[in-house]
Amino acid sequence: MQYELPTSDRVAVHRAPEGAVIIVRAKRHLLIMAFFLFWLCGWTVGGFSAAGALVSGAMKGNPSLFLVAWLGAWAVGWVLATASVLWMFAGKEQLVVTRTGVTKTVSIPILSRSWHYNPAHIARIRRHVVPQPLFGQRGFDNPLGTSGGVAFDYGQTTVTFGTSIDDAEARLIMEALNEGLGRTGVAA
């Protein structure tokens, strides 16, 4: 009999004397990724065909206002779908925790965004339960929103971290966060 490994393949905690680095890799939704890749192929061909018709002057008279508006919507849809595929394929959230600062970074291969927090203003580290919709899983986990599995209060705002994590992974993150901040004896 072979047992399942008791470790997470998405959450990694690297402890050091000065703090901790917590990494949560994005959840891969294979069917959604496959659909988006297929959809992006057709969407890209359609968009470039419409842009080519607009630029080449193949349309008689003035360019259609509808076509210009459609190309704007096309560009927004293309960017969002591409960012979603990149997030599911290689996205990650990283939390660098020391007694002097906490840095949260959300990144995909071509973009990243970081936020810096003063540990003196961090309070109430807790599990953040995200309500599930009536039917099915959440297909789109938003690391920039409030879908993180761990939360802490930062002054008058709530900061979340770790999209789509389970209870055991959240406990691991909360323990590492408390240890990195030098808060011993805090229940996670």
Side-chain angles (χ1 to χ4, degrees), residues 44-166:
T44 302
V45 169
F48 279 108
S49 296
L54 189 66
V55 171
S56 70
M59 298 175 60
K60 301 230 188 297
N62 289 336
S64 168
L65 183 59
F66 171 78
L67 185 57
V68 172
W70 186 87
L71 282 170
W74 172 87
V76 169
W78 192 91
V79 167
L80 290 175
T82 302
S84 294
V85 169
L86 285 173
W87 172 253
M88 287 184 271
F89 183 71
K92 69 178 181 178
E93 293 175 85
Q94 179 174 305
L95 203 62
V96 177
V97 185
T98 65
R99 292 177 189 212
T100 58
V102 174
T103 301
K104 174 186 172 180
T105 304
V106 175
S107 62
I108 58 174
I110 57 173
L111 297 171
S112 70
R113 170 82 164 90
S114 294
W115 296 265
H116 306 284
Y117 304 102
N118 182 344
H121 300 289
I122 293 176
R124 284 194 56 221
I125 298 170
R126 62 194 178 277
R127 174 76 165 112
H128 181 244
V129 179
V130 181
Q132 295 291 323
L134 185 58
F135 299 104
Q137 291 182 322
R138 287 177 292 121
F140 305 100
D141 301 316
N142 180 4
L144 301 176
T146 59
S147 61
V150 172
F152 59 84
D153 292 340
Y154 187 71
Q156 296 177 345
T157 62
T158 300
V159 178
T160 62
F161 177 79
T163 56
S164 297
I165 59 173
D166 63 23

Side-chain angles (χ1 to χ4, degrees), residues 26-62:
K27 190 169 189 169
R28 291 188 176 161
H29 301 280
L30 296 178
L31 290 175
I32 294 172
M33 287 174 67
F35 170 77
F36 272 164
L37 288 172
F38 177 76
W39 179 82
L40 274 169
C41 290
W43 193 251
T44 302
V45 169
F48 279 108
S49 296
L54 189 66
V55 171
S56 70
M59 298 175 60
K60 301 230 188 297
N62 289 336

